[in-house]
Amino acid sequence: MDNFVKTLSRSYTGALASALALLILAGCATTDIPESPDDRLERIAELQQRLTVNPNNPEALRDLGIIYFQSSRFYLADSLLTESLKHESRDAKTRFYLGMAQESRGDTAEALETYIHYEDYSALTPYRNLMQGRYHALSQAVISNQFQTLLAREQELTQNDITENSIAVFPLQYNAQNPEYATLGPALSEMIIIDLGQVGRLRPLERIRIRALLNELEFAESPMVDASSAPRMGKLLSSNHIVSGSYGVSGEENFRMDVADYDALKAEQSATISESDELANIFKAQKQVVFALVNEIGIELTPLERERIERVPTNNLQAFILYSIGLEKEDALDYRAALVYYNQSSELD
């Protein structure tokens, strides 16, 4: 994992409160935790008695940890929930509350390490979605802090800070009138990032880092990067290659994509790479753009890399549109809405 800062900034306070509210809205709040102080003390005594009989009882450790978490005794909650997880690592509820306790006591790095395991749990448990939401929210906030630090020392950055063969793909700008396809930019950029990730000699940057930088620079409404802004982006992202461009759907559903690569180490911008086709062949056009980009960078693909890039994630355009809307919602930290669109996309595909 990246060198995430190890202190919880004030900006996380609102996000943490939102997570607690989301917990209640999602119907995940434990109904067996007493509300009144007297009942809570009685419940604590009961759980402590169970632990006297069996100190390794994971359920008793978990429930006692949750009570202490809700009582703002975060260090004690952390200790109990950590112990519970040692004895029952498959319990998503325990892991979620452990992450919340770690956040609340200010250890962001530990919380991220806890939440990152959300994929180990069934999609049927709501705690998986809650952990995923907290992981992405914390990651975005931490990355934002990192960029604030970089911006403060921007004048000190040089080409020596750029990582060779790293590549950042910025959101594609929509250049057409039909609003139906205006949301495809995030998903098209994401597909390019995923495809470039199949090339062993390239190091694509995560979309979340690029979005965080755009937010810090207040580029959110117009994420286009050109020859004048690309050098700065390369230094701030430590990225060798900066890819930006646009797409459009016009006429009888004709699709067009135009991108260019700026090499921050050579201080050179490539000629524009353009692909057009019927909208029904949008994925074919996107793949051709990737192949042209790789060729422009000067990398010869292996047969296996080419085969992996050629794989199409879906043939359903509507599913792709819904997926892209989900990405937009995720970027806005609206994880509940994002999940709705992702589920709708999966149902159509």
Side-chain angles (χ1 to χ4, degrees):
M1 182 178 293
D2 290 338
N3 293 322
F4 287 117
V5 294
K6 295 188 176 181
T7 56
L8 192 66
S9 72
R10 292 180 181 176
S11 63
Y12 299 159
T13 305
L16 182 56
S18 298
L20 288 169
L22 180 58
L23 180 64
I24 296 171
L25 288 171
C28 300
T30 52
T31 57
D32 55 340
I33 304 301
E35 292 294 331
S36 73
D38 289 342
D39 289 344
R40 186 169 294 185
L41 288 173
E42 183 178 336
R43 177 66 169 149
I44 289 174
E46 176 191 335
L47 291 169
Q48 288 175 334
Q49 178 60 35
R50 288 172 61 186
L51 290 172
T52 300
V53 176
N54 178 10
N56 298 326
N57 185 322
E59 183 179 336
L61 287 165
R62 180 198 66 196
D63 289 350
L64 190 57
I66 292 173
I67 289 178
Y68 284 132
F69 168 76
Q70 294 178 337
S71 303
S72 299
R73 299 177 68 179
F74 302 125
Y75 283 90
L76 185 53
D78 186 333
S79 177
L80 290 164
L81 292 164
T82 298
E83 190 65 24
S84 175
L85 205 60
K86 288 180 182 177
H87 300 293
E88 182 49 86
S89 62
R90 297 170 297 177
D91 191 81
K93 183 178 179 180
T94 303
R95 184 172 291 278
F96 171 72
Y97 273 104
L98 173 59
M100 294 291 282
Q102 291 165 335
E103 278 193 69
S104 299
R105 65 177 180 78
D107 198 332
T108 308
E110 286 294 327
L112 283 164
E113 288 285 358
T114 296
Y115 291 138
I116 199 173
H117 293 282
Y118 68 85
E119 291 185 339
D120 297 342
Y121 297 92
S122 168
L124 298 178
T125 171
Y127 291 101
R128 172 187 168 124
N129 296 331
L130 289 168
M131 283 190 282
Q132 182 180 9
R134 293 309 307 141
Y135 177 75
H136 286 300
L138 276 184
S139 296
Q140 193 157 19
V142 168
I143 291 170
S144 177
N145 277 358
Q146 291 175 340
F147 281 131
Q148 289 175 19
T149 301
L150 278 176
L151 288 169
R153 53 179 290 266
E154 183 176 357
Q155 299 304 317
E156 303 171 19
L157 299 177
T158 68
Q159 286 192 330
N160 293 330
D161 296 297
I162 294 174
T163 303
E164 188 175 2
N165 287 336
S166 56
I167 185 166
V169 181
F170 280 72
L172 300 183
Q173 186 82 1
Y174 185 56
N175 288 337
Q177 299 298 318
N178 190 339
E180 182 180 359
Y181 306 110
T183 61
L184 288 177
L188 287 169
S189 300
E190 179 80 346
M191 283 187 65
I192 293 174
I193 292 170
I194 292 171
D195 287 344
L196 292 174
Q198 307 303 323
V199 184
R201 285 146 290 177
L202 287 177
R203 299 178 58 185
L205 272 67
E206 293 177 303
R207 185 176 58 87
I208 189 174
R209 297 191 69 83
I210 298 166
R211 173 52 60 186
L213 176 60
L214 290 174
N215 288 341
E216 287 302 317
L217 298 177
E218 299 182 349
F219 273 28
E221 294 300 320
S222 180
M224 283 286 288
V225 176
D226 56 24
S228 63
S229 56
R232 184 187 186 197
M233 297 298 182
K235 290 179 182 178
L236 289 171
L237 290 167
S238 300
S239 181
N240 187 171
H241 297 277
I242 302 294
V243 176
S244 184
S246 63
Y247 74 100
V249 179
S250 59
E252 296 297 321
E253 295 197 330
N254 295 313
F255 174 78
R256 180 182 179 89
M257 184 188 298
D258 302 285
V259 303
D261 168 52
Y262 179 85
D263 189 322
L265 287 176
K266 296 180 180 178
E268 295 177 354
Q269 180 168 312
S270 72
T272 300
I273 298 168
S274 299
E275 286 290 336
S276 59
D277 208 325
E278 296 178 2
L279 183 60
N281 296 325
I282 183 174
F283 303 116
K284 176 184 175 183
Q286 179 266 323
K287 301 295 182 183
Q288 291 304 313
V289 166
V290 171
F291 288 133
L293 272 172
V294 173
N295 184 66
E296 180 68 33
I297 292 170
I299 292 177
E300 184 176 350
L301 294 171
T302 67
L304 181 58
E305 288 171 339
R306 179 172 291 276
E307 178 186 339
R308 287 174 173 171
I309 291 173
E310 287 175 341
R311 294 173 185 168
V312 176
T314 180
N315 289 313
N316 189 312
L317 180 59
Q318 187 59 37
F320 189 60
I321 292 173
L322 290 170
Y323 172 72
S324 193
I325 296 174
L327 288 176
E328 285 190 332
K329 297 298 182 182
E330 184 178 329
D331 286 340
L333 303 184
D334 189 351
Y335 298 109
R336 288 173 65 86
L339 183 61
V340 170
Y341 284 105
Y342 289 150
N343 287 338
Q344 290 177 354
S345 175
S346 297
E347 290 170 1
L348 286 179
D349 191 19

